Amino acid sequence: MAYFDSASSAPLHPVARQALLASLDEGWADPARLYREGRRARLLLDAAREAAAEAVGCRADELVFTPSGTRAVHSGIAGVTAGRRRTGRHLIVSAVEHSSVLHAAEVHEAAGGTVTQVEVDRSGSVAPSAYAEALRPDTALACLQSANHEVGTEQPVAEVAALCREAGVPLLVDAAQSLGWGRVNGDWSVLTGSAHKWGGPSGVGLLVVRKGVRFSAQGPADERESGRAAGFENIPAIVAAAASLRAVRAEADEEAVRLRELTERIRARVPALVPDVEVVGDPERRLPGVVTFSCLYVDGETLLHELDREGFSVSSGSSCTSSTLTPSHVLRAMGVLSEGNVRVSLPAGAAAEDVERFLSVLPGAVATVREKLGAPVSTTVSAVREDALVVDALGKRCPIPVIELAKVIGDVPVGGTVRVLSDDEAARLDIPAWCEMRGQEYVGEEPAERGSAYVVRRVT
């Protein structure tokens, strides 16, 4: 089985396993106690903090360990916005942040704060100028991920951090995806990370708050971790997290070169092997091991099952893999195709032979899914005028509305239109994306008695 989903969770690094097992016998006692076992546990905790701080590029007393990366994000946003309440209650986030950031923003807004969401371009990148425009006198905090978790696009953190610093606004960086590859550049103020993303054990997060940043920990007071992360520290897991971070950093430069070559191979060959595919994300500024593409006329969940049967573990941002049947917020913000979405995120040590085998089975897997979906039946055409055709795709989920559009576009003359009736949220994203890929004109969305009517004009 080839595991190609390290962006969700990386396999446990051998160094992490060794450190975890070794510290189980030494790090079980309360590090706050002064007896021998407590002092031994404290030494392990302090050494892990020093190692993690060195890897991040901060002071040891600026870093605390949290029960998860999500908790680190939530604590960081809540603590800084509370600490800077006198400045104001305005929060800035990008449209492609991890859900932990967006959920924290929703809570902030529900409590009376205001939120500005900065849009991204088609590659998934923010423009520093957009953050500059969003900054206000009452801005308490700005948030920007170092790299996107779904498409791998790296963000201009250093440029945005400089703008925020000039405005006197702290910048929180979610570095979960990039921390294993290197330090985050720029004059950021707060940083978060998650150990299971770099090959450490799950259940360990990092929260770094630079000296001088006003921070007020929320929730009941707790004396541990500078009052910023309540509860008894999981010292064996923390030691393993710090040890694995140091280990992956030592291998990062060499491994990054190798994984970039493999992902470039995927980016170049998938469109040549599989028709009607869009590779998404920035082609240059991206994480070494991540490549994401979307396939027209494909049910994302079915495709993932087909690849699983072939021995490959991959993930998807397709709406068809979601219980809500709505597209990934990242793909939606980028304005790219969401149906049949596949994210390949190679772990350290991924074999070139496995990548070649993936490329060999992918065309057959996509063809199988497309065949299962079949062609639209004639009854879907509910009305035809001399220059327009209406396709009734109500009640049908992605990618059926797009498949039916593709099957009938040739039934109208050049200059004629097709109106696709759909109540699937994904159609709002996928029909315009299909038009761009196929050289047709997307006219726009019109209200309908049920759902919406998406109007497409035949150009070719």
Side-chain angles (χ1 to χ4, degrees):
M1 190 75 182
Y3 181 76
F4 286 176
D5 194 24
S6 64
S8 292
S9 188
L12 192 67
H13 194 282
V15 168
R17 184 183 301 277
Q18 294 169 4
L20 182 64
L21 293 175
S23 56
L24 284 172
D25 292 331
E26 298 291 329
W28 51 268
D30 187 344
R33 302 307 174 194
L34 299 180
Y35 43 70
R36 181 179 57 188
E37 294 86 355
R39 294 196 305 272
R40 187 181 298 141
R42 169 57 62 181
L43 286 173
L44 288 174
L45 181 58
D46 289 346
R49 197 184 313 277
E50 290 281 354
E54 192 280 330
V56 170
C58 66
R59 293 170 40 156
D61 60 354
E62 294 174 329
L63 184 150
V64 299
F65 294 105
T66 64
S68 68
T70 295
R71 182 65 64 83
V73 166
H74 292 172
S75 299
I77 293 176
V80 176
T81 53
R84 288 174 48 81
R85 185 181 292 267
R86 290 185 179 180
T87 298
R89 303 198 63 194
H90 178 233
L91 174 66
I92 303 173
V93 300
S94 84
V96 294
E97 293 298 311
H98 188 269
S99 59
S100 60
V101 173
L102 298 183
H103 291 161
E106 291 171 0
V107 170
H108 176 74
E109 193 168 31
T114 57
V115 177
T116 295
Q117 193 171 101
V118 176
E119 298 304 317
V120 298
D121 61 21
R122 195 171 175 83
S123 73
S125 181
V126 303
S129 60
Y131 266 77
E133 293 172 4
L135 289 166
R136 305 186 330 205
D138 64 336
T139 301
L141 175 67
C143 301
L144 179 63
Q145 60 191 192
S146 56
N148 187 260
H149 50 292
E150 288 193 27
V151 300
T153 297
E154 294 179 326
Q155 300 291 0
V157 171
E159 295 92 326
V160 172
L163 292 168
C164 289
R165 179 67 65 179
E166 184 179 352
V169 174
L171 176 69
L172 182 149
V173 179
D174 171 15
Q177 290 295 336
S178 71
L179 206 51
W181 296 109
R183 292 182 177 180
V184 176
N185 295 325
D187 196 10
W188 48 266
S189 301
V190 184
L191 180 141
T192 63
S194 186
H196 74 100
K197 300 288 189 178
W198 67 66
S202 59
V204 179
L206 301 179
L207 172 61
V208 180
V209 181
R210 296 284 199 189
K211 294 295 182 183
V213 177
R214 295 187 65 87
F215 188 95
S216 177
Q218 300 301 286
D222 194 286
E223 69 278 7
R224 298 181 186 276
E225 293 300 297
S226 304
R228 294 175 181 173
F232 195 92
E233 299 95 339
N234 184 348
I235 294 177
I238 288 171
V239 169
S244 60
L245 181 56
R246 175 179 289 180
V248 299
R249 283 288 189 80
E251 307 160 352
D253 289 345
E254 183 177 351
E255 189 64 12
V257 172
R258 198 181 68 85
L259 291 186
R260 282 191 189 280
E261 191 280 326
L262 293 177
T263 53
E264 284 293 345
R265 195 180 305 179
I266 297 172
R267 289 180 64 89
R269 289 178 57 187
V270 165
L273 293 169
V274 182
D276 299 315
V277 164
E278 181 179 16
V279 180
V280 300
D282 195 289
E284 301 294 334
R285 294 186 56 167
R286 58 185 177 83
L287 293 172
V290 178
V291 57
T292 305
F293 55 89
S294 299
C295 307
L296 273 173
Y297 322 132
V298 169
D299 178 323
E301 185 173 9
T302 304
L303 179 57
L304 263 58
H305 288 322
E306 287 292 330
L307 292 171
D308 183 50
R309 277 193 284 270
E310 294 288 350
F312 294 97
S313 301
V314 298
S315 65
S316 173
S318 170
S319 58
C320 299
T321 63
S322 165
S323 60
T324 61
L325 293 177
T326 58
S328 147
H329 71 277
V330 172
L331 300 178
R332 179 189 296 163
M334 293 168 62
V336 298
L337 185 69
S338 74
E339 65 186 56
N341 179 261
V342 175
R343 181 188 66 185
V344 175
S345 49
L346 304 177
E353 294 79 8
D354 286 336
V355 171
E356 286 298 323
R357 191 166 64 86
F358 173 78
L359 291 170
S360 70
V361 305
L362 179 66
V366 173
T368 297
V369 175
R370 286 173 172 167
E371 184 179 359
K372 287 180 178 178
L373 291 172
V377 295
S378 58
T379 55
T380 59
V381 180
S382 59
V384 179
R385 301 196 301 270
E386 60 182 37
D387 66 341
L389 180 149
V390 178
V391 173
D392 184 357
L394 293 168
K396 298 177 181 179
R397 300 301 176 188
C398 70
I400 297 300
V402 184
I403 290 177
E404 298 189 351
L405 166 62
K407 295 295 183 181
V408 302
I409 189 71
D411 293 344
V412 297
V414 172
T417 60
V418 177
R419 282 173 168 77
V420 182
L421 302 177
S422 177
D423 52 4
D424 180 12
E425 180 69 20
R428 182 169 286 115
L429 181 62
D430 290 347
I431 290 177
W434 178 88
C435 291
E436 181 164 332
M437 292 178 68
R438 307 304 293 172
Q440 307 298 346
E441 179 188 353
Y442 178 63
V443 178
E445 179 181 346
E446 297 178 349
E449 184 176 342
R450 220 179 114 205
S452 297
Y454 301 93
V455 184
V456 177
R457 177 173 288 111
R458 183 183 175 190
V459 175
T460 60

